[in-house]
């Protein structure tokens, strides 16, 4: 009789964990990748990241500033195909923006997921540099891998 109670307690505990997991799954924040208005430096930075995650390299390439060291579209595409960032294990948050004349600095938080269930991953704070060209904000420098 005592063992039946113990077993019943374990089963109730497992059931509660399953219900909790399902509740968390269905109430989590929606992380869909959507484009926003690109008339601000943070909007351009976000749209660039969304385009990279969606593998729309032509759109992402359009956000790059025209400068001497700008790669061709094919070189740009190849760099991502060799070292692709996966949105399933990488998250990006766009932070504050500092604008100084025709230059803007956008804080970019890159969150890397862990490869095992016992690690929490890590987060880097980096900066994107944008310049204003022909009245539009263009990316001059992004954090590594972007």
């Amino acid at each position: 009789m005592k063992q039946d109670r113990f077993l019943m307690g374990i089963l109730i505990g497992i059931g509660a964990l399953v219900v909790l997991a399902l509740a968390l799954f269905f109430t989590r924040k929606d992380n869909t990748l959507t484009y926003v208005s690109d008339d601000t430096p943070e909007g351009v930075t976000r749209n660039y990241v969304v385009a990279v995650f969606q593998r729309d390299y032509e759109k992402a390439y359009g956000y790059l500033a025209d400068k001497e060291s700008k790669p061709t579209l094919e070189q740009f595409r190849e760099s991502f195909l060799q070292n692709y960032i996966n949105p399933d294990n990488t998250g990006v948050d766009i932070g504050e923006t500092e604008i100084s004349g025709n230059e803007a600095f956008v804080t970019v938080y890159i969150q890397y997921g862990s490869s095992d269930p016992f690690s929490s991953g890590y987060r880097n704070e980096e900066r994107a540099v944008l310049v204003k060209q022909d009245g539009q904000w263009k990316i001059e420098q992004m954090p590594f891998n972007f």
Side-chain angles (χ1 to χ4, degrees):
M1 186 78 170
K2 195 168 199 164
Q3 289 180 349
D4 289 341
R5 283 187 184 168
F6 182 71
L7 180 61
M8 186 60 83
I10 289 176
L11 292 176
I12 290 172
I14 290 172
L17 287 176
V18 168
V19 168
L20 178 65
L22 288 172
L24 289 174
F25 176 78
F26 288 113
T27 61
R28 73 180 191 267
K29 186 172 103 176
D30 187 19
N31 288 330
T32 57
L33 300 172
T34 57
Y35 291 104
V36 296
S37 174
D38 58 5
D39 57 352
T40 63
E42 56 271 5
V44 169
T45 305
R46 176 181 169 80
N47 290 344
Y48 174 83
V49 170
V50 169
V52 168
F53 279 159
Q54 293 182 348
R55 297 185 181 189
D56 187 354
Y57 302 118
E58 193 169 331
K59 184 169 182 96
Y61 185 78
Y63 290 112
L64 298 181
D66 293 323
K67 55 186 218 175
E68 287 182 26
S69 60
K70 183 177 180 179
T72 65
L73 176 58
E74 191 56 36
Q75 290 170 331
F76 180 75
R77 184 187 336 258
E78 285 296 318
S79 69
F80 283 104
L81 294 177
Q82 294 173 6
N83 189 20
Y84 182 68
I85 297 175
N86 187 350
D88 293 335
N89 67 0
T90 305
V92 177
D93 287 326
I94 307 300
E96 301 82 33
T97 301
E98 297 174 32
I99 299 176
S100 176
N102 286 335
E103 196 170 51
F105 304 95
V106 179
T107 304
V108 179
Y109 301 98
I110 303 175
Q111 301 151 358
Y112 299 96
S114 65
S115 59
D116 63 81
F118 303 108
S119 300
S120 62
Y122 60 96
R123 175 179 167 162
N124 284 346
E125 178 182 325
E126 301 189 33
R127 296 178 92 183
V129 180
L130 289 84
V131 293
K132 204 160 206 173
Q133 291 182 339
D134 300 325
Q136 294 182 324
W137 289 104
K138 297 288 185 171
I139 296 172
E140 188 173 75
Q141 179 182 340
M142 278 296 285
F144 179 70
N145 285 343
F146 281 97

